[in-house]
Amino acid sequence: MTSPLSNSVIFHRPSCNPNPNPPSTSFRHPQNLKFRPNSTSKHHNNATASDQPPQSEKRSFAVATGELFLGIASRIIKSRNAMDRRLDSVEKVRMFGEELSGKTESEFWKRFRRRKEVVTEEITEVVEDGDVVWEQRLKDVEAERGRKAVSSPGFSFSAAGLLFPYHLGVAKFLIENGYIKDTTPLAGSSAGAIVCAVVASGASMEEALEATKVLAQDCRSRGTAFRLGAVLRDVLEQFLPDDAHIRSNGRVRVAVTQILWRPRGLLVDQFDSREDLINAVITSSFIPGYLAPRPAVLFRNRLCIDGGLTLFMPPTSAAQTVRVCAFPASGLGLEDIGISPDCNPENRASPRELFNWALEPAADSVLDNLYELGYMDAAVWAASNPVEDLVQEDNPMVSS
């Protein structure tokens, strides 16, 4: 691991592990990993100018745009959490065309949906939650039903911007220790969707981390705002194998947000080609005016933006979903999160540092530390959730 990086604000929050005397594990303790942005270590002194984000108007615009988007998403999350507490648990999880108890769809939306299905494709409603409707195409539902085996729990990875080395570290631990198998359902928004596609492709997390550094180096030297989408597409086209879409079908749910006529979360689970999978992932990551100089992207004849706006951590098709968040979950008002920086609140980067790194690529040494911290947080979570007690074979097509 690289030398320590930064002096950070410490999160004083409870650990994910409720056991005051957890069993010993073989991983190194994250307390040894401190973020020191003003470090004078040899590694820091040898960093070239290209290792640091460019200080320019584009960077300021990128951070301002991203923070605005994240602020809106946070408000939606908090309002939905408040609504969730008022809804019956059955109402929250009905899926695949089942009507919500006590709720009916307006005649306008029924007519609109019928017309849309005739013109484009058949949509199966997933769940309605206030002003947000989650949907899946019939093809997506059929792809999940076609799976012969499903393991529970599934794992959902949050939107995270350029913090996805954290998710890669979490995924590495979960794969190595048998929590994620070939039959494990996955779901993700934005960076989380990228990680799900990588996991399903069979690539190693170390290879994915190196690809992340290639993307980060390009953005550090040439800028991030307005061009991140093109760079990300190029990296995915070079990294994902030709059969990535086949490996992902029925297993990986990618969340995108349709913006007309109201925010509508779409869960995509069936991909016609590798290009279709990449398009879904790019759409799931599309922060307006940040990935490219336009307000939205056209995906399957729909104007869409980042999936994190409506489905920050989308449900998987397993009976139980463990949610992974790259940000301190409690700081965003999130509940029922399995793995996050809250698992190890000591000596962690401040929220401001994390948001900045989410929007502008950090130095490679920071990416390495995020990767290892994700691994450590997953290990702390696992200490309270032994694989032999948690992972089990499940029936396909059960709601989460």
Side-chain angles (χ1 to χ4, degrees), residues 155-159 167 170-171 180 186-189 192 195-196 312-314 324:
F155 289 86
S156 176
F157 293 85
S158 74
H167 281 336
V170 171
I180 291 182
L186 305 170
S189 290
V195 173
C196 290
F312 195 73
M313 281 172 286
V324 181

Side-chain angles (χ1 to χ4, degrees), residues 20 30 56 90 119 136 149 166 169 231 235 251 269 279 295 320 382 397:
S56 65
V90 175
V119 174
Q136 278 188 296
Y166 178 89
V231 179
V235 170
R251 180 186 183 191
D269 203 357
N279 287 340
Q320 178 185 358
M397 291 301 297

Side-chain angles (χ1 to χ4, degrees), residues 360-381:
E360 287 286 353
D364 286 356
S365 52
V366 175
L367 301 179
D368 285 333
N369 272 283
L370 289 170
Y371 178 78
E372 188 158 343
L373 288 168
Y375 189 96
M376 303 304 176
D377 290 349
V380 170
W381 169 83

Side-chain angles (χ1 to χ4, degrees), residues 168 317 396:
L168 293 175
S317 58

Side-chain angles (χ1 to χ4, degrees), residues 39-80:
S39 172
T40 57
S41 68
K42 179 178 179 181
H43 181 94
H44 181 82
N45 289 336
N46 290 340
T48 63
S50 63
D51 287 332
Q52 305 302 325
Q55 302 297 320
S56 65
E57 291 184 4
K58 276 191 174 181
R59 181 185 187 281
S60 299
F61 173 81
V63 172
T65 302
E67 287 181 345
L68 175 62
F69 184 83
L70 291 173
I72 295 172
S74 179
R75 285 179 177 271
I76 292 176
I77 290 167
K78 290 179 180 179
S79 65
R80 288 180 57 198

Side-chain angles (χ1 to χ4, degrees), residues 90-101:
V90 175
E91 290 180 320
K92 289 191 294 181
V93 300
R94 292 291 186 90
M95 300 180 71
F96 311 124
E98 299 177 20
E99 289 189 1
L100 293 177
S101 174

